[in-house]
Amino acid sequence: MNFKIILLSISLLAISQIFAQTNLTGNISSDKKPVAGATVYLPDLKKGTLSDSAGNFSLNNLKAGTYLLTISSTGFKAVTEKVDFPVQSILNIELEPSAKELAEVIVTGVSRTTELKRSPLVIKPVNHEEILRTNSTNLINALQTVPGISEITTGPNISKPIIRGLGANRVIVLNNGIKQEGQQWGDEHGIEIDEHSVDRVEVIKGPGSLMYGSDAIAGVINFLPAKPKNSTSAIINYQTNNNLLSYSLSNSGIKNDFNWSARFSNKFAGNYQNKYDGKVLNSGYKEYNGNISLGITKSRGNSTLTINSYNSRIGIVEGERDSLGRFVLINDEGEETAATDKDLKDYKYNLPYQIINHFSLSSNSYFLTRGGTINLLLGYQNNRRREFEEDKDPSLYMFLSTFNYNARYNFKRKNGWETSVGISGMFQSNNNKGKEFLIPDYNLSDGGLFLYSQKAVNKFSLAGGLRFDTRNIKSETLIINHPGEPEEILFEGFNKNFNAVSGSLGLSYQASKISTIKLNLSRGFRAPNIAELSSNGIHEGTFKYEIGNIDLKPEISHQLDFAYILNSEHLTFEFTPFVNFIKNYSFTEKLKSSSGNDSLPTGDPQYPAYKFISGKAVLSGGEVFVDIHPHPLDWLHIENTFSFVRGLSNNKTDSTRNLPFMPAPVYKVALKAEFKNINKRLETLILKAGLENYFPQSKIYSAYHTETQTPGYTLLNALLGAEINAFKKYKALSIFISANNLLNIAYQNHLSRLKYAGENPLTGRYGIYNMGRNFSIKMVMSI
């Protein structure tokens, strides 16, 4: 593939151009005592070190410039400080004891590493510790602790992120800065990223079109890898509900100016179960992934080359049953028969199922020049998605290739302004290689020019910019020939262009040492995707026959965000309301036949037809987060979150006034006891119990039975964890035992696609229910 050769050549050229220099030395202490093992890190340069037993540290061969430096250590407030080399060559830091690290830096949605409280964007980071402690069945499911984030699910392995009621192509997913491209327009198309490879997540809640172009009008989720360090680790997880077993092995290291990391992960699961459905036929899956990263860091910059391979086989749940309510399958003789206990208990995959292979090669480089710095991200991705319905040959086979690029020049700070200009976009092609077709073959190219600037003056930080995007989509005509029948034009070819201007302007105000106020106004843009424009076929896993609309126009959003954040020693409070006005908001509406019944196009199986339509929409709501850790019980945390979003269509009747498939309001409360420094071996003991209360969702798009109401429910969860010092290493071993849905409540989440499966003839219940009680044991070892 030419893309691979080009990317490798550019990456090798980038590495060859990196080559003094000044040293930064200093001491880290607390109450006049040295702090050993503190992490000192320059995120832009990807250079770091640890303080020694006397609290001293040294970072060598640094190019002159201004950088953000972070210092962190367990039990102390994290410190972020801008340093100017070589003016500041000696730096002494005094850390303050704290039960909670307060200062954080971000790299998403900004032109250079920025302190979180200085950015006017509403951004929620999730660290590695939080991810490990979560009992989840997939990567997106692990983000359910973030207020305002929900998921569209198709069983336990397929989850698509929803940010404040918006998902699919309205949320951009980044894998270490590279936009993930894997036919993400589909509700049942999951995120092709190994969950074990993720060290940290940054979530932008609100339009991110300024930096990332089309598709970011809901927000951005950036999955980031671990910082380079010398480590060998293993993760093992077993879950009882579907007998899930996963493991991941990794090795990383630093030698002089070079760093590397390598990981292999494997996961497989049987059919999940719940109180009403028992074991759900064909809901099992397996997954194996690998990635390798090679990097070099010099005084004039750094460059990293990363290869990822994601591979999964996922059963497609159809939910068909016999008169006794038993799931049915097609046996080896091609006959329909009731599933036996053996069929349901085995790690077996029946027809239909899908196989997904996602390969990516990316280069991430950072250079220092006399006038500023350069960021260069290049990526090639190949996504193969195959669906098997009747035999070993794929019925649906989509072959997607994408080349991503993102180049940014960051000027030196002048009069306090930090300004960047850049260009980003992609070239993409899709080819159908199967017997059935949902979307046509197409070629896509887009690009955007942007200008971004930020300035901090005392307690105020101002940031904003403008961007112009253009996108071209060209699809091919497809004519189907059936013996003895006239030709059928399945897809009409088209050539469409979309252009838009995006922008953002925001202000952050440090009202005090512990409180921050943010206000941000943004304009976002999203071009219609290929499925919205031209789909014409059965969409397995969604129980729909989807019909596109060539007349759709780009969505344009105008969103106002406000945030008040209080971060004190014993109270954390966040209040983040928003309102979002969207022009040309598109969604699917169920079609009716002339007799008033569901429109059922020909096909096997027959699913009701849905067509994409659009209109004006307003989404409003917000999140509240309260974490109380009262003195002197610093080990106790009382965590509360509430998320709410309401979507309305302008000038519509009662049955069409609500936007379809909005997440239900949810309140979560958890009591967490975290005891630290218990003895020489036991570093941390964690006890946690939590309730999740999902309110009824009655605000639905009821016209033509497009959507149905969902009753409320409450889930009880628990966690017991221990972090142990071993092998002469801090927290070398961690063990987490957790349980979700302890009371084994039978429920359907409003955004579960399986909610719309057929009726159980025995009970009269419609759809398939979510996962029942699930115990998990997870062990993490690092040496």
Side-chain angles (χ1 to χ4, degrees), residues 5 48 126 129 177 310 385 406 431 464 466 559 619 649 662 664 673 767:
I5 297 172
V126 182
E129 190 176 75
Y310 173 96
R385 184 173 296 274
N406 188 321
N431 295 290
L466 289 172
Q559 180 160 322
L619 291 93
S649 295
M662 290 289 111

Side-chain angles (χ1 to χ4, degrees), residues 291-513:
N291 62 73
I292 298 174
S293 180
L294 302 172
I296 184 171
T297 300
K298 291 288 189 178
S299 61
R300 290 187 174 273
N302 57 76
S303 187
T304 303
L305 183 69
T306 303
I307 300 173
N308 288 295
S309 177
Y310 173 96
N311 309 274
S312 68
R313 176 171 174 165
I314 306 170
I316 298 175
V317 178
E318 292 190 310
E320 295 185 8
R321 312 178 199 238
D322 63 14
S323 59
L324 299 178
R326 299 174 299 185
F327 290 108
V328 297
L329 54 80
I330 305 297
N331 61 23
D332 294 337
E333 287 72 40
E335 301 171 341
E336 186 175 273
T337 182
T340 65
D341 288 343
K342 187 176 186 302
D343 292 323
L344 294 169
K345 290 180 180 179
D346 284 351
Y347 289 99
K348 185 179 179 181
Y349 307 93
N350 300 291
L351 293 169
Y353 62 86
Q354 57 180 325
I355 294 178
I356 301 100
N357 305 104
H358 190 93
F359 171 84
S360 67
L361 172 67
S362 63
S363 170
N364 188 338
S365 301
Y366 177 83
F367 308 106
L368 291 89
T369 68
R370 290 184 178 181
T373 61
I374 298 173
N375 291 86
L376 179 64
L377 281 83
L378 301 170
Y380 168 77
Q381 301 174 68
N382 175 248
N383 184 275
R384 291 182 295 154
R385 184 173 296 274
R386 290 167 287 173
E387 294 182 359
F388 299 80
E389 297 177 9
E390 298 175 349
D391 49 43
K392 294 182 179 180
D393 294 323
S395 300
L396 188 71
Y397 186 173
M398 295 180 288
F399 189 91
L400 182 72
S401 296
T402 307
F403 177 74
N404 305 88
Y405 61 92
N406 188 321
R408 186 172 73 244
Y409 185 80
N410 311 302
F411 295 93
K412 279 188 176 180
R413 185 167 50 170
K414 186 174 182 180
N415 298 325
W417 287 99
E418 296 175 332
T419 303
S420 302
V421 294
I423 182 172
S424 65
M426 66 179 175
F427 300 98
Q428 186 174 87
S429 65
N430 179 76
N431 295 290
N432 288 297
K433 299 186 176 185
K435 298 177 291 186
E436 296 180 359
F437 311 91
L438 178 59
I439 60 173
D441 291 355
Y442 72 90
N443 290 290
L444 179 151
S445 62
D446 74 4
L449 293 167
F450 62 88
L451 169 70
Y452 180 88
S453 192
Q454 60 186 23
K455 181 177 183 177
V457 181
N458 298 324
K459 296 182 178 181
F460 292 91
S461 296
L462 181 67
L466 289 172
R467 179 186 178 106
F468 173 75
D469 276 285
T470 181
R471 171 173 287 189
N472 172 263
I473 306 179
K474 183 179 180 180
S475 79
E476 303 295 331
T477 299
L478 178 63
I479 299 175
I480 303 295
N481 292 296
H482 297 289
E485 297 182 13
E487 291 183 341
E488 176 190 359
I489 299 178
L490 190 62
F491 301 114
E492 291 274 8
F494 65 84
N495 192 335
K496 303 277 287 186
N497 292 292
F498 305 99
N499 306 295
V501 174
S502 305
S504 176
L505 181 63
L507 181 70
S508 175
Y509 171 60
Q510 310 300 303
S512 68
K513 269 190 172 183

Side-chain angles (χ1 to χ4, degrees), residues 41 66 80 161 254 280 374 378 531 564 596 618-619 665 675 737:
Y41 192 66
T66 302
T80 60
I254 303 172
V280 177
I374 298 173
L378 301 170
Y564 175 72
V618 179
L619 291 93
F675 305 96
I737 301 172

Side-chain angles (χ1 to χ4, degrees), residues 29 32 168 379 427 453 455 481 502 533 541 570 581 670 714 745:
S29 61
K32 298 182 180 180
F427 300 98
S453 192
K455 181 177 183 177
N481 292 296
S502 305
L533 291 169
H570 303 293
F581 302 91
T714 301
I745 300 297

Side-chain angles (χ1 to χ4, degrees), residues 537-569:
I538 293 174
H539 199 167
E540 292 283 357
T542 66
F543 308 101
K544 293 180 181 180
Y545 187 107
E546 291 187 350
I547 301 172
N549 184 347
I550 194 66
D551 297 321
L552 291 177
K553 297 178 180 179
E555 292 181 347
I556 303 294
S557 74
H558 294 87
Q559 180 160 322
L560 180 64
D561 283 285
F562 173 82
Y564 175 72
I565 302 169
L566 175 70
N567 237 330
S568 72
E569 193 66 29

